[in-house]
Amino acid sequence: MNWRTATLAVVDTETTGTDPATARVVDLGVVIVRDGVIVARKGLLVNPGVPIPDECTAIHGITDADVAEAPPFADVAFDLASLVEGKVCVAYNSRFDRAILLAEFLRHGFASPPAFLQR
């Protein structure tokens, strides 16, 4: 694969903690890069259904008030999957982001996670 010409989906999550078993997503960011050029950006606030700890807000700046009217993960899951479908999915802290997203898909009743999480 040529990283310079591949279509990449750069994914980032912000969460309520660091343990995938208990942490919930509060923000998803996806940047699509094609031939080395950013062609799309999408940010999705997510209502985690639990309070955001102060120590997490201190890191990412997202408060309970910010996500009060945001959709739950189950409502944005298909948007995320379609954004990254057919692209090379990359992340700075990919082990963490993958573990959190995998847990969220399974927690919300998806029979199996999307293909980008199964690699």
Side-chain angles (χ1 to χ4, degrees):
M1 170 189 354
N2 184 336
W3 288 94
R4 292 177 192 225
T5 59
T7 300
L8 308 175
V10 183
V11 177
D12 186 39
T13 62
E14 300 300 341
T15 65
T16 62
T18 58
D19 181 355
T22 57
R24 304 294 192 265
V25 170
V26 298
D27 183 56
L28 290 166
V30 180
V31 174
I32 306 302
V33 179
R34 185 174 299 123
D35 293 324
V37 177
I38 295 173
V39 295
R41 297 172 199 235
K42 181 80 171 192
L44 301 165
L45 283 176
V46 178
N47 186 326
V50 299
I52 301 170
D54 291 340
E55 59 269 19
C56 295
T57 295
I59 293 168
H60 51 56
I62 301 168
T63 66
D64 291 331
D66 294 330
V67 298
E69 300 298 319
F73 184 84
D75 289 358
V76 300
F78 289 110
D79 289 341
L80 173 63
S82 64
L83 280 169
V84 301
E85 183 179 359
K87 300 165 184 76
V88 178
C89 192
V90 297
Y92 173 73
N93 191 357
S94 63
R95 280 191 179 156
F96 175 75
D97 289 328
R98 183 183 180 279
I100 288 290
L101 291 171
L102 182 59
E104 286 283 41
F105 273 96
L106 297 176
R107 182 179 297 120
H108 286 88
F110 290 83
S112 63
F116 78 94
L117 292 173
Q118 297 179 24
R119 298 178 199 161

